[in-house]
Every structure is written in C-alpha cells, then in structure tokens.
Amino acid sequence: MATMDEAVETTVDPACLQEPPLALDMLMQLDVFGICLYSMLSFMSFVTLLLYLEQCVYIYKKVSYPKKTTIIWISGAAPVIATMACCGMWVPRAVMITDMTSNCYFAVVVYKVLVLLVEELGGTSDFLQRFSGKPFRINTGPCCCCCACFPHVPMSRGMLFLLKLGAIQYAILKTVLSILSVILWTNGTFNLADLEITGATIWINPFIGVLTVISLWPVGIIFMNTNILMRSLKIIPKYAMYQLILILSQLQTSIINILALNGSIACAPPLSSQARGSMLSQQIMIMEMFIISLVTRSLYRRIYDPLPSEEHDNEQNNKAALKAALEEHDV
C-alpha cells in the first residue's frame, strides 16, 4: 500500500516543481490575452521610463547643483523599479537579479531622501546654523515611535553625521549582500524556498530587514522635525510617495513571495507556484509604479520658491506670539 506522502507526491504536477521557463518558451505559450497584457504592461513601463528621462532633462536645466542630482535619484525610483519589473516579467529566470537591482537602487534613494531634506533647508552648513543646539524628537518610526519617554536630542554636527551614517549604511551593505546573494544563487546555495537554519536565506534576509529599519529611522527623525518648515515645497506628499514606494516594493513583494512559498498561489504550468508569485508581483508593480511616477513627476517637475530665512521664521513666530498675547489680554 502506498504511503500518504507517496499519494501526495503523485498528485503534484511535475511542472509545478520545475524552474521558471526560458523567455522564448514563455513567449510561445502566451495566448491572446497574455500577449495583450504583456504588451500593455511593457508600454506602461516604456512610458514611465520616457517621462523620467524628459524630467531629468528639465531638472538638469532648471535646478542648481547639488540638489538636481538628488532629485534625479529620488524621482527615478519608480521608473527603475518598473523597468526592472518589466525585464523580470519577460525573463522569469532573471527575477532574482532584477529584484536585487531595484532594491539596491532604492537603498540609495533612502539616503538621498535624507540628503534632500537637508539640502532643501540650505545644505549642511545652513541646516546646522539653523538647528544647532535645538532639541530634535527621536521617538519616530519605524524604530521608536512608541517610546514616548525618549528625551529630545540637541542637533549638532556629530548628530547629523550619525543620521547620515545610519541612512547610508543600508545603501552600502544592501549592495554588498545583494552581490553575495547573487553569487550564492548561481552556486545553488541561496534559495528563497530554503528556510532551513543551515541555508543562507534565513540569515541574509532578516539581516537586510534590520538594516532597512535602521536606515529608515534617521530619515524619519529629520522629516518629523523639519517638515513644518517645508510645506510650501510639498515635502509631505513627496515623502508620502517615497514611503509608498517602500511599502509596495518591499512589503508587498515579501507578502506575495510568502504566499507563493506556502502554496497559497496555485501553480500554472509552465510556471511553478513561486515563479507565478514572482510574475504576479512584477505585473502589479509595473502598474503601481506607472501611477506613482505620474504623481512624482507632478511634484518634482516644477520650480518652488526658496524657503524663508531663519530670521523670517523668528519674526513670524514673534508676531504669532504677540497676536496670541493680545487676544488673551482682550479676553
């Protein structure tokens, strides 16, 4: 009599256990709907990249250095992710490389967002001149949003250096670990489906998650303490778009991969469950990044009035305090 395990194995389609198909084999098996879907998503990815290149030309001509390089980096997050997702959609076996390329680029974007917040306030020198000695609230997400007892820390050159270091470490270590993962993957050592304690995945991915959380904390500290001064620059929707890309490119992809590993996403030969999950993730990502790129273009492809000086801020605060005192006296 066959055992239960043998009975289960006989019900599994052998195609569901195979590697992702080659690009040519995938193309040959597309039906009319599949061809239309792939064509539409490829067109959306191409338009996203084309609009970004036009935006780069505009920013390069209209914005001064070094702010223009920072804006070009940040606004390129959605187009780069969409382009890599399109490549992964057409070449399923390259998803590992395309995903890591997108993640490495976004790791640099995290640091560039912090740099942009500082540059919008005049650069490092003007930032320190305005905020040096002033208390900064550090109980912000994602690390310490619930720690209300944390004291405020005065801003200084050393403090700003630590914040920049906390953000840039993710860009460096993420790239190094991604290269290491690709090397191990080509050797068959790195496999997302292998969650054994002896596998490389169970050690590398959680460590990258810790690095991600650490890098987001300094950006959150700078934003939460300075965003009120940059509302005229639409800094809140810009920061919201950056957070949205983070959630969609990191959290959403992780959830889909977990569902695929658990078998919640059924296989559809020639795609295994894991390959189909990756394919769905790439297709959804292209549509999401296309919409985000349009919103990002409307936010960055424009010239904003410069921020008022610190003396102007102090004058406005004094007027507001005097007005409040007069109203209280009248009452």
Side-chain angles (χ1 to χ4, degrees), residues 68 156 266 329:
K68 61 183 176 183
S156 62
H329 180 268

Side-chain angles (χ1 to χ4, degrees), residues 200-212:
T201 307
I202 199 65
W203 294 100
I204 294 179
N205 285 352
F207 184 60
I208 291 177
V210 173
L211 296 178
T212 305

Side-chain angles (χ1 to χ4, degrees), residues 174-213:
K174 172 64 178 177
T175 304
V176 173
L177 291 175
S178 295
I179 296 174
L180 176 62
S181 298
V182 171
I183 294 174
L184 295 177
W185 173 64
T186 56
N187 192 49
T189 309
F190 186 89
N191 185 6
L192 293 176
D194 181 15
L195 300 180
E196 297 293 333
I197 194 65
T198 56
T201 307
I202 199 65
W203 294 100
I204 294 179
N205 285 352
F207 184 60
I208 291 177
V210 173
L211 296 178
T212 305
V213 172

